[in-house]
Amino acid sequence: MVRESSEDNIVEPVALPLSEQEEWKDVTPLEQEDSQFSICPIAYTDGYKEMMGYMRAVMAVGELSERAYELTGAVLKENPGHYTVWVYRKKLIEELHLDIEKELEWLESIAEMYPKNYQSWHHREVLVSMLLDPRVLADMPQDQQVCHPVIRRELSFLANAIDEDSKNFHAWSYRQWLVRRYGIWEQEKVFINTMIDQDVRNNSAWNQRYFALVQGETGSKVLVDDGTLQAEIEYAVEIIKRAPNNESPWSYIVGMLLRHAPEKLYDELLPRIQQLSVDASYDQAVKSSPFYWSALVDIYESRAANEDADAREKILDLARSACAVLATDHDPVRMRYWEHRQTTLV
């Protein structure tokens, strides 16, 4: 069956309903078992209900066939969140020894339609794992690892996805999986520098920077060497100079030092940001930034915890004063929060 498009008289094929296709004559569809008392029945389209009827039928008997595989594709284009069908599709790929490269091409079309669908991103992880064993790259230099056809294609795919939406959580999450699984850490640092240089406010890129710094490890016991910490302080301060009212570098460097080297907050970060606050090139922008004052609160509070009673009270007074400045001048929208924070500084 064909139909003529009104646009340039293009003739397009129209698929027959499955019930009218000779290929499916041997299958009796299974209807969904809905109670007549369902509180909120879903208004499926007739076409989708028919596809799912045949889908249930082939899944019920565990059919492993090309037609079942094609049917999963049709269903998932209509409902990409159907994780049971994704699992069945994976089994079909494995059992029928289907072309994984072609499956990845198909998956890109799904990603274009549904860029934030959990199941399609997980399916991609499964496919790439089937396609490339990490041991293949284990003894390669990193510059050769990233040139492997599979890695090169995945990095290109991700670059396009992140370029389309630089804060797509699913793309960044998949990127973390890829980097961790295949150990391409050095390449990732170069990528992150580029992303932050393009947009210093990209919180996702800052998060990825920390991920790469600790190579995916978690917890305060992860060791970060002194040279790396010093370099990160320098880097964050340079970015702060470019946009003092951008929360990302402030949160990044304060959070990292609180976790890995709290003593450096007071001894090394504090002098650097105080220097900016009196530098004629940056003073007005820095001192009017709520993130500068917020950083002072965190730095003083952290330092006070390690001081004796007299010194502790003096430092906490500095933190309380910073809270007052935030409440009245630079972050009045959150006045109640800063007033509350003052009361916790004891």
Side-chain angles (χ1 to χ4, degrees):
M1 182 183 297
V2 298
R3 70 181 177 192
E4 187 172 293
S5 170
S6 60
E7 195 172 305
D8 299 327
N9 294 322
I10 297 174
V11 177
E12 300 175 345
V14 178
L16 288 169
L18 295 179
S19 58
E20 297 179 25
Q21 295 182 28
E22 192 63 33
E23 182 183 14
W24 292 96
K25 291 294 185 182
D26 63 317
V27 178
T28 301
L30 296 179
E31 298 300 320
Q32 181 167 304
E33 295 182 4
D34 278 336
S35 167
Q36 61 176 318
F37 303 111
S38 294
I39 295 174
C40 187
I42 299 174
Y44 298 115
T45 64
D46 290 340
Y48 181 76
K49 284 193 288 187
E50 183 190 53
M51 285 193 297
M52 281 307 303
Y54 283 89
M55 188 86 267
R56 294 186 201 95
V58 295
M59 291 177 68
V61 297
E63 180 177 318
L64 302 174
S65 66
E66 288 276 356
R67 71 176 182 179
Y69 170 73
E70 294 296 332
L71 182 56
T72 62
V75 169
L76 292 171
K77 281 193 174 182
E78 293 293 318
N79 180 12
H82 203 313
Y83 52 84
T84 305
V85 177
W86 282 108
V87 172
Y88 183 45
R89 186 175 179 88
K90 171 182 174 289
K91 183 177 181 180
L92 289 167
I93 291 168
E94 292 175 325
E95 296 293 335
L96 299 175
H97 306 291
L98 298 178
D99 189 330
I100 297 175
E101 295 284 356
K102 288 185 178 179
E103 177 71 359
L104 283 166
E105 290 177 11
W106 173 83
L107 196 57
E108 287 197 24
S109 69
I110 297 295
E112 289 177 2
M113 292 188 290
Y114 308 104
K116 297 185 178 180
N117 171 256
Y118 282 97
Q119 289 78 15
S120 65
W121 286 99
H122 176 69
H123 190 63
R124 193 172 193 95
E125 289 182 13
V126 170
L127 295 175
V128 172
S129 295
M130 293 164 62
L131 201 58
L132 180 62
D133 189 316
R135 290 173 294 185
V136 172
L137 306 181
D139 297 325
M140 290 184 186
Q142 287 236 345
D143 58 344
Q144 292 183 24
Q145 289 179 339
V146 297
C147 289
H148 188 283
V150 173
I151 300 299
R152 187 170 65 244
R153 184 200 53 237
E154 292 308 292
L155 291 176
S156 176
F157 170 76
L158 280 166
N160 290 333
I162 291 172
D163 185 59
E164 185 71 24
D165 180 356
S166 65
K167 298 181 181 180
N168 183 340
F169 164 80
H170 305 279
W172 285 105
S173 180
Y174 176 74
R175 191 175 185 99
Q176 289 192 357
W177 172 84
L178 185 75
V179 170
R180 180 190 281 118
R181 182 168 180 80
Y182 296 105
I184 48 177
W185 298 105
E186 292 307 314
Q187 185 278 339
E188 192 63 6
K189 292 175 184 177
V190 174
F191 174 77
I192 294 164
N193 284 340
T194 301
M195 293 300 297
I196 293 177
D197 190 56
Q198 289 176 353
D199 179 8
V200 294
R201 292 175 174 81
N202 188 338
N203 296 328
S204 299
W206 284 99
N207 179 71
Q208 190 79 352
R209 185 178 186 88
Y210 180 74
F211 168 80
L213 181 76
V214 298
Q215 296 200 354
E217 298 296 327
T218 58
S220 58
K221 294 182 180 180
V222 177
L223 297 178
V224 181
D225 65 83
D226 190 73
T228 298
L229 291 170
Q230 194 62 45
E232 291 304 293
I233 292 172
E234 297 296 326
Y235 180 82
V237 169
E238 288 303 310
I239 298 297
I240 287 170
K241 288 180 181 179
R242 290 171 56 181
N245 209 34
N246 167 29
E247 185 175 7
S248 298
W250 295 100
S251 296
Y252 172 79
I253 195 61
V254 171
M256 185 181 68
L257 294 178
L258 277 171
R259 172 167 287 190
H260 298 289
E263 71 283 355
K264 289 185 181 293
L265 281 166
Y266 191 87
D267 295 337
E268 298 187 32
L269 180 61
L270 180 61
R272 296 300 310 278
I273 63 176
Q274 286 181 326
Q275 182 181 5
L276 289 182
S277 73
V278 296
D279 187 315
S281 299
Y282 311 105
D283 60 340
Q284 291 302 314
V286 169
K287 287 190 289 188
S288 64
S289 169
F291 310 117
Y292 166 71
W293 295 97
S294 177
L296 292 181
V297 174
D298 290 331
I299 291 170
Y300 291 137
E301 183 179 27
S302 175
R303 181 69 174 194
N306 298 308
E307 297 290 343
D308 59 37
D310 290 340
R312 174 185 172 84
E313 191 58 29
K314 289 179 181 178
I315 293 175
L316 287 177
D317 276 342
L318 294 174
R320 295 184 192 109
S321 296
C323 285
V325 171
L326 283 159
T328 58
D329 298 331
H330 300 305
D331 197 13
V333 171
R334 298 198 300 162
M335 178 180 67
R336 297 299 184 193
Y337 168 76
W338 293 115
E339 290 175 346
H340 169 73
R341 185 80 182 270
Q342 278 183 306
T343 66
T344 67
L345 295 169
V346 293

